[in-house]
Amino acid sequence: MRAVSEQDIRASFVNCSKGEAKRLPLPRDLDERRWEDLDFLGWRDLSAPDRSYIVTELRGELTGITLRFPSQQRGFLHRSMCSVCLTTHPGSGVSLMTARKRGQAGRDGNSVGIYLCTDLDCSLYVRGRKSPAPGGRFEESLTVEQQIERTRGKLTAFLDLLAA
């Protein structure tokens, strides 16, 4: 992913109003991010524990979405798998995140959901830059590049559902 500015991020959101995008908190470490290791920029809202955000390049355009997820915690013995990077995490390491659809459908309350790593570090797990809990990544016959393409494809498919 290419480096993006605060203005670029705020202008990219497709499933919230311009006013909401203007008020949402942004990560403070944008200048320190290793953009070449990211397929998307994801962060949680520290002031609202049930909200998170994703910004990525979709067909050459920057696209941002707001997500919600339940704040309840699962037991540590329970394991779930992220639908995007296929990493498993114990407890609340994977959450069902929902996003309002674009346009009138979203204003009518329609949404779509996906299971994602709660920390939104899918790109780092796929590249081996961050290690999940033991047993969190299965050994695959795909190359890292193929896994990156699969991750991007799964995120793109989810984003396409927001417009459907």
Side-chain angles (χ1 to χ4, degrees), residues 10-159:
R10 292 193 188 282
S12 72
F13 283 89
V14 297
N15 68 339
C16 68
S17 70
K18 289 182 182 180
E20 289 171 313
K22 193 175 191 177
R23 292 185 302 272
L24 62 86
L26 297 181
R28 294 184 179 161
D29 63 346
L30 289 176
D31 294 335
E32 301 163 19
R33 297 280 174 139
R34 292 183 56 170
W35 295 99
E36 65 277 2
D37 287 340
L38 298 179
D39 301 306
F40 62 88
L41 173 65
W43 72 99
R44 292 183 60 182
D45 186 339
L46 299 177
S47 62
D50 65 336
R51 292 188 190 149
S52 58
Y53 311 96
I54 289 178
V55 174
T56 190
E57 294 176 62
L58 180 65
R59 295 180 190 89
E61 289 191 32
L62 206 58
T63 302
I65 60 169
T66 62
L67 298 156
R68 290 189 177 260
F69 61 97
S71 56
Q72 62 192 16
Q73 302 291 318
R74 291 184 170 169
F76 188 76
L77 296 176
H78 180 86
R79 293 189 77 82
S80 298
M81 180 182 282
C82 174
S83 298
V84 172
C85 68
L86 305 184
T87 301
T88 60
H89 295 276
S92 59
V94 172
S95 297
L96 175 62
M97 297 194 188
T98 58
R100 284 189 308 201
K101 293 188 104 176
R102 296 172 83 161
Q104 187 61 44
R107 290 188 291 279
D108 290 342
N110 296 323
S111 62
V112 293
I114 189 168
Y115 285 94
L116 284 170
C117 295
T118 305
D119 61 9
L120 300 170
D121 282 339
C122 299
S123 301
L124 302 179
Y125 292 125
V126 168
R127 288 167 173 78
R129 304 272 193 262
K130 186 172 182 181
S131 297
R137 293 278 306 157
F138 296 105
E139 189 166 334
E140 297 189 61
S141 59
L142 298 177
T143 65
V144 172
E145 290 76 23
Q146 290 170 322
Q147 292 176 50
I148 290 167
E149 281 305 309
R150 179 185 60 207
T151 298
R152 289 177 180 162
K154 289 182 173 288
L155 184 61
T156 297
F158 175 68
L159 293 172

